[in-house]
Amino acid sequence: MANKKQIIINILDILKRYTDEDHRLSQREIAEILKNEYNMTVERKSIKRNLSNLLEFGYPIEYSESIRMVPNKVTGELEESYMLSDFYLERDFTDAELRLLIDSLLFSKHIPYSQCKELIEKLEGLSNKYFESKIKHIRTLPENKPANPQLFYTIGILDEAISKEKQVKFHYSFYETDKKLHPRKDSNGKPREYIINPYQIVATDGRYYLICNNDRYDNLSNYRVDRITDIELLDTPAKPMRDVKGAENGFDLSKHMAEHIYMFTGDTVRAEFIAEKYIISDIMDFFGNDVVFSNETEDKVTVTVTVNEQDMRFWALLYALQIKVISPPSLVESVKNDIMKAAEKYKG
């Protein structure tokens, strides 16, 4: 009886390990695998019955159906018999989708090596033996990226706080020359405590950011999740987002991300700059489809974007050789001063 119960489990395991749309198995082939790898001799009728049970239970198993004429055991007359073959298990993820997920882990800038490797192995388990992932690449990667071992715990607490609409408190840390995270200090030299109203976790540029409100201020803030340490869930209710400056009429996440390309905190401005046309693709990559182009010449174009002022200031330095900021005046002055200070460092 135990073996009979085991048959259906083993057949399902075979379908998971050996099949997909490009790799299908007949009942005879399933019987061979059961004999060779599971040490079970099973009749084809039993295999057919168990496959039918799996289908009846709702497992996403596909198959081919053909008709053949066989003699009736009583009358001897030929009659139709339906033959099922080419069985395979439909996958929740295609191989291409799994490769995309694995690549996103490989290119992650904040997940520790050991956790990244473990996640990739779990993703591999969602496919079959034919799936060739890039796990060998991560096995050869040196663990030379700084990593916060509290990252997954922090994300778990933040998820709980957001769903329960509760505040959190934590230390916000930075790396020092010993290559370790150290919390930002207050005026007394003690680790500064941040009381935060969390609203959303987002991923950009290979990192997670927390969109939130620091309880001491009235606007939205962005914190890198991998810099958060010693997080605690509080019992106090979080401030509603509608009470935060900039989110009074609702929060548009896609707009917020387009305006905060480097996730700096601060005011959003309508910025204009003149750009070389050969960097239009870069401009679209950073600012999205809401950019406005005007005054186009053969090699230059004026670009208007709505963006966080600090983000734009940083981006303008990155593309200082290709663009010239022309408004607002405060941004123009900041960029000019930044370029002059940078040039001073190379004098003499």
Side-chain angles (χ1 to χ4, degrees):
M1 181 66 71
N3 278 343
K4 288 183 179 180
K5 291 181 179 179
Q6 192 68 33
I7 290 172
I8 192 168
I9 296 173
N10 289 345
I11 289 175
L12 181 59
D13 188 52
I14 288 169
L15 293 175
K16 287 180 178 179
R17 290 174 55 214
Y18 285 95
T19 70
D20 57 30
E21 192 171 1
D22 299 319
H23 303 89
R24 309 181 184 205
L25 293 175
S26 65
Q27 295 178 46
R28 178 182 59 79
E29 289 168 329
I30 292 173
E32 288 176 359
I33 296 173
L34 284 169
K35 182 177 180 180
N36 295 332
E37 296 190 23
Y38 296 82
N39 198 29
M40 298 182 74
T41 301
V42 183
E43 293 183 359
R44 197 174 298 185
K45 285 183 180 180
S46 178
I47 292 173
K48 181 179 180 181
R49 183 171 62 253
N50 280 282
L51 285 167
S52 298
N53 288 338
L54 288 170
L55 286 165
E56 191 176 323
F57 295 155
Y59 283 94
I61 299 170
E62 295 294 325
Y63 56 88
S64 298
E65 189 174 62
S66 58
I67 301 175
R68 64 177 181 175
M69 304 302 294
V70 296
N72 184 288
K73 290 182 179 180
V74 178
T75 65
E77 294 183 3
L78 292 177
E79 56 185 25
E80 291 182 347
S81 175
Y82 290 89
M83 182 73 176
L84 305 184
S85 189
D86 298 331
F87 292 91
Y88 71 94
L89 188 69
E90 277 193 337
R91 303 283 165 176
D92 290 331
F93 295 94
T94 66
D95 284 359
E97 290 170 334
L98 284 176
R99 285 194 178 96
L100 185 64
L101 291 170
I102 287 173
D103 283 345
S104 69
L105 289 170
L106 287 170
F107 295 126
S108 167
K109 298 176 182 177
H110 61 274
I111 300 179
Y113 173 94
S114 58
Q115 291 172 317
C116 190
K117 180 174 174 289
E118 185 180 336
L119 285 172
I120 287 175
E121 288 172 348
K122 288 180 179 179
L123 287 173
E124 278 195 305
L126 297 176
S127 189
N128 52 41
K129 77 184 193 76
Y130 304 104
F131 177 63
E132 295 178 0
S133 76
K134 297 182 177 67
I135 186 67
K136 58 182 179 294
H137 292 203
I138 197 167
R139 283 175 180 155
T140 62
L141 285 175
E143 191 173 3
N144 62 358
K145 295 184 295 182
N148 179 355
Q150 300 179 27
L151 176 66
F152 285 4
Y153 176 75
T154 298
I155 291 173
I157 294 295
L158 288 174
D159 278 339
E160 185 178 357
I162 292 168
S163 64
K164 292 182 177 179
E165 299 181 348
K166 298 290 186 181
Q167 290 185 323
V168 294
K169 70 175 179 179
F170 54 70
H171 296 144
Y172 200 53
S173 301
F174 295 87
Y175 285 97
E176 295 187 5
T177 54
D178 61 0
K179 301 178 183 178
K180 295 179 180 179
L181 283 170
H182 295 269
R184 184 177 284 172
K185 304 292 180 61
D186 60 21
S187 57
N188 297 317
K190 295 181 179 180
R192 182 184 299 175
E193 245 181 23
Y194 289 74
I195 306 295
I196 297 297
N197 302 294
Y199 302 123
Q200 184 87 41
I201 298 174
V202 297
T204 182
D205 194 29
R207 295 184 174 94
Y208 283 122
Y209 288 84
L210 173 66
I211 299 174
C212 60
N213 164 252
N214 187 315
D215 213 39
R216 297 170 60 187
Y217 306 104
D218 63 354
N219 60 343
L220 286 172
S221 297
N222 304 311
Y223 291 91
R224 273 181 55 171
V225 175
D226 59 313
R227 298 285 172 83
I228 293 173
T229 56
D230 309 313
I231 191 169
E232 290 183 37
L233 179 66
L234 302 179
D235 288 330
T236 49
K239 181 191 301 181
M241 187 180 270
R242 63 179 177 273
D243 295 340
V244 179
K245 181 181 176 183
E248 303 93 333
N249 300 315
F251 178 65
D252 187 332
L253 178 59
S254 60
K255 180 172 178 287
H256 181 85
M257 298 302 291
E259 293 175 358
H260 296 77
I261 54 177
Y262 297 112
M263 299 304 285
F264 284 112
T265 296
D267 294 330
T268 296
V269 297
R270 186 176 176 82
E272 281 187 302
F273 56 90
I274 299 170
E276 302 287 344
K277 286 176 66 176
Y278 69 82
I279 68 161
I280 284 178
S281 293
D282 296 53
I283 293 169
M284 296 292 292
D285 283 344
F286 278 97
F287 299 102
N289 287 328
D290 290 334
V291 298
V292 177
F293 298 112
S294 60
N295 303 327
E296 182 179 356
T297 66
E298 187 175 341
D299 56 357
K300 289 183 172 57
V301 65
T302 299
V303 184
T304 305
V305 295
T306 302
V307 63
N308 172 274
E309 188 163 359
Q310 284 297 104
D311 284 70
M312 185 63 213
R313 181 177 171 181
F314 189 85
W315 190 85
L317 291 177
L318 183 65
Y319 284 86
L321 298 178
Q322 292 85 24
I323 76 162
K324 178 185 177 181
V325 178
I326 56 177
S327 75
S330 60
L331 180 60
V332 174
E333 197 63 28
S334 294
V335 174
K336 282 171 61 177
N337 288 336
D338 289 340
I339 292 173
M340 289 170 62
K341 288 177 181 177
E344 281 290 327
K345 294 181 183 294
Y346 291 91
K347 281 189 176 180

